[in-house]
Amino acid sequence: MAKTQPSESVVKAWARLTRAQQLALAAIEAALKKADLPALSWYDALLELERAGERGLRPFELEHEMLLAQYNLSRLIERLSRARYVSRQVCKDDGRGQVLVITPAGKAMRRRMWSVYGPAIQAAIGTRLSEAEIERLTALLGTFLERAKADEARSGVAGRRDYSIHHRNEAT
Amino acid sequence: MAKTQPSESVVKAWARLTRAQQLALAAIEAALKKADLPALSWYDALLELERAGERGLRPFELEHEMLLAQYNLSRLIERLSRARYVSRQVCKDDGRGQVLVITPAGKAMRRRMWSVYGPAIQAAIGTRLSEAEIERLTALLGTFLERAKADEARSGVAGRRDYSIHHRNEAT
DNA sequence: TAAGATTGATGTTTCAATCTTT
DNA sequence: AAAGATTGAAACATCAATCTTA
């Protein structure tokens, strides 16, 4: 481990990355709340489950997609299940686990959330950068994420677990 | 209000912005925890207070810097104060308020935190993007933040309050 | 009435310990 | 023993109501 201090420019990049994300997130969460809708973590879980279709997902798969700690996810699932947006089914292949499947009500809620979430993304990001700027930002962040993924693979999945904070998503 | 759905590219930019920030933040928070140090919100508050010097800061000034809701900050200050990193002094000019001043122990803790925080930033960001990429990313995010600030000014400070989530910071 | 700040009640996140099945 | 998952207790965040001074 190197313990090297970062250059000024790296610190500035980190500060801005965080502030930009924070600003956009706050506006988006506020829009959802104003519309009396659940928070983003519900959206992300519902989206993944909808993509998975009838086969559903195991909690640990969802955990990986969402970068959520296991105990955290366990409680999120409990809430989604109580709200009847997700049904928990027994897993035939593995007695330890369960399979999560989105319900019709869950799909409907995801769509309702998108009708607020989408425009909020547009207002927070889309109106503040040109198409060209968006493309450049996306490309840079893509490079960053790819290298991070490569590092993760290199370190043999060690250092996983223990994330937190909602969110992720790549479309609709 | 427009309610326009965002383009695919804007959604992708948002998704990556969030994931990148999340990934870096998780690694940084993990490094602090591993070193038995407080969370980032403590660092940010201590940094602002150290910059303010002996004059100190009013809670609402700190609130603005940190994008924290008032009640949230109120409790953070309580913890910092209990830990003896910050002292609360009466405000002569305004009987409603107080003035927060960092203590020597607070400064020492900020420095200790930086010795872990700095290298964690470097590991999370600095090793994954070249200097040129960092510069481009910083410039794009700078543009974004400037426009966001302009929008905020235009809307007459309305829509303030109610942020959340730790963090911000521009150096040492 | 509004600004600065706090607080009780409630909900969520986190840690650590636990349970079950592999 | 390790993987998948849950849970009690504690820490923290959030909402709404409150309090004080401007």
Side-chain angles (χ1 to χ4, degrees), chain A residues 26-44:
Chain A
I28 288 166
E29 290 275 25
L32 287 169
K33 182 174 324 161
K34 199 172 156 199
D36 267 301
L37 291 170
L40 274 186
S41 55
W42 287 41
Y43 183 87
D44 289 334

Side-chain angles (χ1 to χ4, degrees), chain A residues 3-26 28 33-34 40 64-67 114-115 117-119 121-122 124-126 128-131 133-145 147-148 151 162-172, chain B residues 1 3-26 28 33 40 64-67 114-115 117-119 121-122 124-126 128-131 133-145 147-148 151 162-172:
Chain A
K3 292 276 170 191
T4 319
Q5 288 294 341
S7 67
E8 277 286 323
S9 58
V10 168
V11 176
K12 187 169 254 180
W14 165 239
R16 289 188 182 176
L17 178 69
T18 287
R19 210 168 228 238
Q21 198 271 347
Q22 200 173 186
L23 218 60
L25 178 64
I28 288 166
K33 182 174 324 161
K34 199 172 156 199
L40 274 186
H64 183 248
E65 291 303 320
M66 295 181 66
L67 299 189
W114 180 246
S115 76
Y117 186 16
I121 295 172
Q122 175 60 19
I125 311 264
R128 285 171 179 152
L129 292 175
S130 70
E131 261 308 311
E133 288 164 338
I134 287 283
E135 294 299 340
R136 282 189 283 148
L137 180 61
T138 301
L140 281 166
L141 293 171
T143 299
F144 173 83
L145 289 170
R147 293 190 186 144
D151 289 351
D162 253 311
Y163 309 107
S164 130
I165 306 180
H166 32 233
H167 216 243
R168 207 242 58 182
N169 128 0
E170 290 253 336
T172 301
Chain B
M1 274 266 207
K3 293 274 169 190
T4 319
Q5 287 294 341
S7 67
E8 277 286 323
S9 58
V10 168
V11 175
K12 187 168 254 182
W14 165 238
R16 289 188 181 177
L17 178 69
T18 287
R19 205 162 233 246
Q21 198 271 346
Q22 203 173 184
L23 217 60
L25 179 63
I28 289 167
K33 182 175 322 162
L40 274 186
H64 183 250
E65 292 301 321
M66 295 181 66
L67 299 189
W114 179 246
S115 77
Y117 187 15
I121 294 172
Q122 175 61 20
I125 311 264
R128 288 173 177 150
L129 292 175
S130 69
E131 261 308 311
E133 288 164 337
I134 287 284
E135 294 298 342
R136 282 189 283 147
L137 180 61
T138 301
L140 280 166
L141 293 171
T143 299
F144 172 83
L145 289 169
R147 293 191 187 143
D151 288 351
D162 252 311
Y163 309 107
S164 126
I165 307 181
H166 33 232
H167 214 241
R168 207 240 58 180
N169 131 359
E170 289 253 335
T172 301

Side-chain angles (χ1 to χ4, degrees), chain B residues 88-108:
Chain B
R88 320 160 89 133
Q89 315 192 343
V90 290
C91 182
K92 305 222 185 286
D93 306 333
D94 187 333
R96 293 170 300 184
Q98 48 180 321
V99 176
L100 307 174
V101 180
I102 190 170
T103 65
K107 292 183 193 177

